[in-house]
Amino acid sequence: MSVSPLVWILSLGLILALLAFDYFFHVRSAHVPTLREAAIWSCVYVGIAVLFGLGCFLFGGTAMGSEYFAGYITEKALSVDNLFVFLIIMTSFRVPRENQQKVLLFGIVFSLIARSGFIFLGSALLNTFSWVFYLFGVALLLTAGNMLKPQTEESHSAQNLVVRLSRRLFRTSEDFDGDRLFTSLDGRRMMTPMVLVMVAIGGTDLMFALDSIPAIFGLTQNVFIVFTATAFSLLGLRQLYFLLDGLLDRLIYLSFGLAAILAFIGAKLILHALHENNLPFINNGEHVDVVEISTGLSLVVIMAVLVITVLASLFSTRGRTQTAMANIRRDANAYLDAEYTMDQGERERIFLRLLAARDHIIALGPQARQQVKNEPELMDLCRQVAESHAAAHADHEIRPSL
């Protein structure tokens, strides 16, 4: 279904307005979003995306609406998986908590620009060469296979080639200067580590686009739906990051669910490629009479896989234990880092979450305790944080009497 230029302009205007609103009312003033703030605005952005989808149903018909929601849900699920990598990048660079919003918004804007380029390029290729469906299908099957490999923090290291080249080519300071991109040190103007963080986020965004764009083209070839579903899946990602903070490690089966979804879409693309086949070495250049998977069935499969994998992760003892271990390591290092945040409420939240993680590991039964790696090291980190917390509170109580 063709979309009028007016609808394109209105949709682009809405997306740009939401990005501008996000910057001027949330990101411009550096602060740590509360859980309540993140939850409210996550619901707002999801609600806007759902209303837009209902508009697609109302004005574009059932097929268009189904394609939008299938694309939106798939892209949203992939973006949640990407948040884990963003978390590792910002942890490895020790980005102050107050400034993480700015990094995330930059990542969203860069991702939207990069994906837009890939979308229009992909659409042009698919309209010109039907055999590109084969390439997209094989690419998704390979990506699905890679997702089944064990993922570690080392496999997502922020010190990638782009960052190493940036460090060599550009003079950067060792420490952050608020959320500034440039600072002056000994009379010399140089970049801050904030630039390197944004380079790392941008580099990973490009890699993510190579996976996500073929996936959504496997669900619809309508460029308007591909673009808007991708854009609305990215909007609100900043709020979702802070809302899911501490739970990302718990979604231990999400990668398996996403692998299943990408493999399903890859198979769907290859079936479509066979149906549209014009390659001379396949069935003498004639189309192959195969069953094609409908968008409605795709939507049902995607929803079912995501619900099963998320629930399995949340109710898994292994998932809770893995989350506790990750929270202790991450929260202890953050709390002991004086430059991580100046927000005392945020420091207290980190401390309480670390205590909850410690108590979970202590309460584990003998069999579950076998899942805990380096328990003495984790308990020592908890002890260091408890001593630092007690010293800070003692100092606070003494000061008024001085």
Side-chain angles (χ1 to χ4, degrees):
M1 176 182 175
S2 61
V3 178
S4 69
L6 178 61
V7 174
W8 268 103
I9 292 172
L10 292 175
S11 300
L12 287 171
L14 174 61
I15 293 167
L16 293 175
L18 289 172
L19 287 172
F21 176 84
D22 214 11
Y23 175 75
F24 286 105
F25 290 91
H26 294 288
V27 176
R28 193 176 186 181
S29 177
H31 70 285
V32 181
T34 63
L35 186 63
R36 181 174 181 272
E37 177 186 342
I40 290 174
W41 286 107
S42 291
C43 291
V44 168
Y45 278 99
V46 171
I48 292 172
V50 170
L51 288 175
F52 189 90
L54 294 176
C56 291
F57 265 116
L58 181 62
F59 298 104
T62 304
M64 189 174 185
S66 299
E67 290 175 356
Y68 170 82
F69 278 109
Y72 173 76
I73 293 170
T74 300
E75 293 297 304
K76 198 70 172 178
L78 288 170
S79 67
V80 170
D81 190 54
N82 297 343
L83 287 179
F84 177 68
V85 185
F86 290 168
L87 176 63
I88 292 172
I89 289 174
M90 287 193 280
T91 300
S92 65
F93 277 105
R94 298 173 56 242
V95 180
R97 187 69 167 172
E98 289 86 348
N99 301 330
Q100 290 181 3
Q101 291 197 96
K102 187 171 186 177
V103 175
L104 288 168
L105 186 60
F106 167 82
I108 291 170
V109 173
F110 183 88
S111 183
L112 185 56
I113 294 172
R115 279 166 167 75
S116 297
F118 282 123
I119 287 169
F120 290 106
L121 176 61
S123 176
L125 289 174
L126 291 173
N127 289 330
T128 307
F129 309 105
S130 60
W131 52 263
V132 174
F133 283 108
Y134 286 114
L135 295 181
F136 280 9
V138 171
L140 289 182
L141 291 176
L142 292 174
T143 301
N146 288 330
M147 278 192 164
L148 296 177
K149 297 178 181 179
Q151 298 294 314
T152 63
E153 293 199 2
E154 287 75 16
S155 64
H156 293 302
S157 175
Q159 302 297 328
N160 55 29
L161 177 61
V162 177
V163 176
R164 290 198 297 269
L165 286 175
S166 298
R167 285 192 183 275
R168 289 185 179 182
L169 294 175
F170 305 105
R171 186 186 302 275
T172 58
S173 62
E174 291 296 325
D175 301 316
F176 289 88
D177 185 8
D179 61 355
R180 295 182 179 89
L181 300 181
F182 296 90
T183 188
S184 294
L185 190 63
D186 296 330
R188 293 182 298 177
R189 186 170 175 79
M190 59 180 63
M191 296 190 304
T192 68
M194 184 68 75
V195 175
L196 297 180
V197 176
M198 291 184 173
V199 169
I201 293 287
T204 54
D205 274 334
L206 286 176
M207 299 303 297
F208 295 153
L210 296 176
D211 297 336
S212 65
I213 298 306
I216 194 170
F217 269 119
L219 298 169
T220 177
Q221 285 80 60
N222 186 322
V223 178
F224 177 77
I225 294 299
V226 172
F227 175 78
T228 53
T230 300
F232 282 110
S233 72
L234 293 172
L235 292 171
L237 196 60
R238 176 186 63 79
Q239 294 85 349
L240 193 62
Y241 173 87
F242 290 96
L243 180 63
L244 295 181
D245 182 32
L247 290 177
L248 289 174
D249 297 286
R250 190 163 174 178
L251 300 176
I252 59 173
Y253 300 123
L254 180 62
S255 60
F256 294 101
L258 291 175
I261 290 171
L262 292 181
F264 173 80
I265 298 175
K268 183 178 185 294
L269 273 169
I270 291 176
L271 289 174
H272 181 73
L274 289 170
H275 191 269
E276 301 290 328
N277 177 64
N278 58 11
L279 295 178
F281 53 86
I282 298 179
N283 199 33
N284 296 320
E286 299 293 330
H287 84 278
V288 181
D289 191 14
V290 293
V291 176
E292 289 209 71
I293 302 172
S294 66
T295 303
L297 177 60
S298 299
L299 182 56
V300 171
V301 170
I302 291 167
M303 287 293 296
V305 170
L306 286 177
V307 169
I308 291 171
T309 53
V310 169
L311 290 179
S313 297
L314 294 178
F315 288 100
S316 166
T317 301
R318 179 178 165 228
R320 292 194 294 271
T321 302
Q322 182 170 308
T323 303
M325 290 189 295
N327 283 350
I328 287 177
R329 290 192 182 94
R330 191 175 296 125
D331 291 343
N333 290 327
Y335 191 92
L336 296 172
D337 184 355
E339 298 180 357
Y340 178 70
T341 179
M342 300 299 293
D343 188 327
Q344 293 304 314
E346 174 66 9
R347 293 182 66 82
E348 190 67 20
R349 186 189 72 85
I350 293 173
F351 177 70
L352 293 176
R353 189 171 69 178
L354 182 140
L355 292 184
R358 181 201 62 183
D359 293 343
H360 171 80
I361 290 179
I362 293 174
L364 288 174
Q367 291 184 340
R369 188 176 290 274
Q370 296 177 0
Q371 302 172 8
V372 180
K373 299 178 180 178
N374 301 324
E375 183 177 352
E377 176 192 346
L378 296 178
M379 294 301 107
D380 184 59
L381 283 173
C382 292
R383 180 187 57 78
Q384 293 179 46
V385 171
E387 291 176 355
S388 176
H389 185 267
H393 278 255
D395 182 58
H396 178 74
E397 291 174 359
I398 293 173
R399 281 183 182 179
S401 64
L402 295 179

